[in-house]
Amino acid sequence: MTMIDVRNLKKSYGKLEVLKDISVEIKEKEVVCVIGASGSGKSTFLRCLNRLEEITDGQVIIDGQDITAKEANINKIRQEVGMVFQQFNLFPHKTVLENIILAPMKTRGTPKTEATNKAMELLDKVGLKEKAGSYPGELSGGQKQRVAIARALAMNPKVMLFDEPTSALDPEMVGDVLEVMKQLAQEGMTMVVVTHEMGFAREVSDRVLFIDEGVIAEQNVPSELFTNPRNKRTQAFLSKVL
Amino acid sequence: MNALPYLLEGLKVTIYIFVIAIILGFIIGLIMALLRLSPIRALNWIAKIFIDAIRGTPILVQLFFFYFGLNSLEFISFDRTTAGIITVAINAGAYFAEIIRAGIQSMDKGQTEAARSLGLTGTQNMRYIILPQAFRRMLPTFTNQAIISLKDTSLLSVIGIADLTQQGQIAIAATFKAFEIWLVVGIMYFLLIYLLSLLSSFLERRFELR
């Protein structure tokens, strides 16, 4: 079953065309990593999937719902599409627990006790149960990112989008975050991950998209793409990062 | 000193006008800031015209306009206290609007993106995420404006409101002790403003971003 269906997606900022006609289907439970040089448009692509960037042309259909349609309720759709950011973007004025229960309570009217139970479960899952009462400022980068993942999961999303989730972390923090993501992948979450972590892409993803100059220059299963890239630009990129 | 009851009476009026005006001013400022940031052009312009008009004219002229100007129209009539409160409130509102707008705009875009990506609406994002953080940052600037507004209330004596300044004049007329009375009036204003800044630093500590 197709979870994300991107058809002829185009995105321009004024005259600058960042995404030029991208089409891709992502199946349910599939884990797709998106790689490419900075400025290639990979983050923009990801942000179009929940309309954090307005789409210039084309369609994005998530679980059968055209999110670009005029009548689409984007707030409702975003409840189903979790997103994790490079800079974590936790709410600094709220505790870890409050960060997690806010959206379920405000958008779905989940009762506080129920939201809290779920949040504690998720915190346990990311190994941060004891930090429930802490403020984001008291956490390390890796801990913040794991809280951000728990916050997104609290909405029971059908899809999780990760925008360079480990790029702002100290090297020794990266492992914990990737571990949580790996577990999520094993549980069958549909994931799209923009990343520079080639090891993660190789090990965890079902498919890797290489985006270059606003198009998907090459896509394949990781074992193929990393060992036997066909496109010259993929080869050039991989030779720099591997 | 038999002038003291006069002055205390005036102090009460000053505090009364200040408190109401500053609360109204804050509400006006918040509304105008939100209009100013609204994606709807017409609302932007309403806020912009309001802010520019108030900031671009002296408060004394505004006071005369509201009290003498508007009152000269047949269908409008309000007393001097109302005119005084409106003047100070609207004036504070225009400055608050700009403080709040700047505060909101200084917030990291990532906060809004995180909130919206969770499915919160624009209004929910403002209410739960942006404004609570922005207000903490704005507190020192708020205090500054509140102090200015408090001082502005002394202008209201010119339309005969019996505030601290006006009562000072009355007390002098009765006692002929200009030096002592203006000194005491000054000290009273000073203490009031000092209290205000104490309150502000208390709130700042209380709501410190962790």
Side-chain angles (χ1 to χ4, degrees):
Chain A
M1 201 197 115
T2 304
M3 182 58 90
I4 305 174
D5 187 0
V6 180
R7 297 181 188 165
N8 306 106
L9 171 63
K10 289 179 189 141
K11 170 71 187 174
S12 308
Y13 295 103
K15 285 214 166 123
L16 180 70
E17 210 179 8
V18 184
L19 298 177
K20 310 162 186 169
D21 202 2
I22 288 194
S23 294
V24 64
E25 277 186 41
I26 294 167
K27 289 193 290 291
E28 193 181 354
K29 301 192 176 185
E30 196 177 5
V31 177
V32 172
C33 280
V34 183
I35 62 170
S38 43
S40 59
K42 56 187 193 305
S43 278
T44 308
F45 165 71
L46 191 79
R47 292 160 59 85
C48 284
L49 299 184
N50 67 351
R51 251 177 70 189
L52 274 190
E53 298 290 343
E54 282 304 330
I55 290 159
T56 309
D57 197 18
Q59 275 180 307
V60 175
I61 297 158
I62 292 186
D63 199 28
Q65 263 192 303
D66 185 351
I67 72 165
T68 46
K70 275 219 164 65
E71 67 277 9
N73 180 348
I74 191 63
N75 296 318
K76 201 96 188 149
I77 292 165
R78 283 178 179 146
Q79 292 173 20
E80 313 281 324
V81 182
M83 187 159 201
V84 174
F85 300 85
Q86 182 177 357
Q87 297 298 337
F88 330 123
N89 297 342
L90 293 180
F91 307 132
H93 60 305
K94 295 192 172 292
T95 63
V96 163
L97 181 66
E98 288 164 351
N99 262 275
I100 300 175
I101 64 176
L102 178 80
M105 285 172 60
K106 299 304 175 193
T107 64
R108 294 206 173 118
T110 309
K112 190 169 183 182
T113 44
E114 193 186 323
T116 304
N117 288 341
K118 167 95 181 165
M120 293 311 290
E121 228 171 81
L122 288 166
L123 279 175
D124 196 25
K125 185 170 168 173
V126 300
L128 291 171
K129 207 170 183 175
E130 74 286 356
K131 297 289 184 189
S134 305
Y135 282 88
E138 299 160 358
L139 305 181
S140 73
Q143 292 172 330
K144 282 182 197 167
Q145 196 60 299
R146 283 184 282 155
V147 171
I149 294 173
R151 180 175 70 178
L153 289 175
M155 294 298 288
N156 283 321
K158 293 175 183 152
V159 177
M160 284 283 282
L161 309 176
F162 293 85
D163 190 4
E164 301 197 26
T166 57
S167 297
L169 298 179
D170 291 333
E172 73 270 22
M173 305 284 180
V174 172
D176 290 342
V177 172
L178 292 182
E179 202 48 52
V180 169
M181 290 169 63
K182 208 149 106 188
Q183 194 192 336
L184 207 55
Q186 279 158 3
E187 288 168 11
M189 177 63 76
T190 310
M191 292 164 62
V192 185
V193 186
V194 169
T195 188
H196 293 293
E197 293 292 331
M198 298 303 154
F200 177 83
R202 195 192 296 243
E203 190 187 345
V204 181
S205 71
D206 300 307
R207 184 163 37 138
V208 178
L209 308 184
F210 172 65
I211 292 191
D212 188 58
E213 293 183 3
V215 296
I216 299 177
E218 183 166 356
Q219 55 175 311
N220 214 330
V221 293
S223 54
E224 269 300 299
L225 189 122
F226 285 115
T227 49
N228 191 14
R230 286 168 205 164
N231 186 308
K232 275 220 164 62
R233 290 183 301 192
T234 321
Q235 291 165 4
F237 174 73
L238 289 177
S239 72
K240 272 182 228 154
V241 297
L242 286 182
Chain B
M1 195 163 89
N2 54 7
L4 200 58
Y6 284 104
L7 298 186
L8 289 176
E9 204 52 46
L11 186 65
K12 267 203 312 218
V13 172
T14 290
I15 293 173
Y16 167 77
I17 288 177
F18 169 71
V19 169
I20 295 182
I22 211 74
I23 292 170
L24 281 178
F26 180 77
I27 296 168
I28 294 170
L30 181 59
I31 293 170
M32 286 300 159
L34 293 175
L35 293 186
R36 190 85 172 71
L37 293 169
S38 146
I40 301 164
R41 266 270 174 78
L43 298 181
N44 277 201
W45 276 101
I46 292 174
K48 203 167 151 34
I49 290 168
F50 167 81
I51 293 166
D52 284 350
I54 298 303
R55 290 203 307 182
T57 51
I59 186 168
L60 199 54
V61 173
Q62 293 161 15
L63 178 65
F64 289 161
F65 177 77
F66 286 126
Y67 186 53
F68 299 118
L70 287 183
N71 258 344
S72 72
L73 302 176
E74 271 172 32
F75 50 92
I76 291 179
S77 113
F78 38 63
D79 60 32
R80 56 190 84 205
T81 310
T82 312
I85 289 173
I86 291 175
T87 305
V88 177
I90 283 184
N91 207 271
Y95 287 95
F96 276 148
E98 286 297 88
I99 295 169
I100 295 171
R101 178 178 70 95
I104 291 173
Q105 284 181 327
S106 76
M107 289 291 303
D108 175 15
K109 286 209 167 39
Q111 291 290 304
T112 294
E113 290 186 350
R116 298 305 303 272
S117 78
L118 287 162
L120 295 177
T121 64
T123 314
Q124 288 172 328
N125 172 43
M126 260 308 156
R127 177 160 164 210
Y128 301 114
I129 308 301
I130 301 303
L131 288 180
Q133 294 185 65
F135 280 145
R136 287 166 209 211
R137 276 193 205 175
M138 294 174 216
L139 209 51
T141 337
F142 273 151
T143 311
N144 223 11
Q145 181 54 45
I147 288 172
I148 293 171
S149 291
L150 176 60
K151 292 180 184 173
D152 283 347
T153 61
S154 76
L155 285 172
L156 303 182
S157 61
V158 300
I159 59 165
I161 290 179
D163 76 326
L164 181 53
T165 305
Q166 172 76 357
Q167 290 294 90
Q169 278 168 336
I170 291 170
I172 290 165
T175 61
F176 302 105
K177 293 193 164 152
F179 176 81
E180 291 88 341
I181 286 176
W182 284 130
L183 185 67
V184 173
V185 166
I187 290 171
M188 283 180 165
Y189 275 115
F190 176 81
L191 288 177
L192 217 49
I193 287 165
Y194 188 68
L195 266 175
L196 214 63
S197 34
L198 280 185
L199 177 70
S200 166
S201 29
F202 168 74
L203 289 175
E204 262 177 71
R205 274 199 306 277
R206 176 87 172 55
F207 291 122
E208 199 183 354
L209 276 188
R210 277 152 285 207

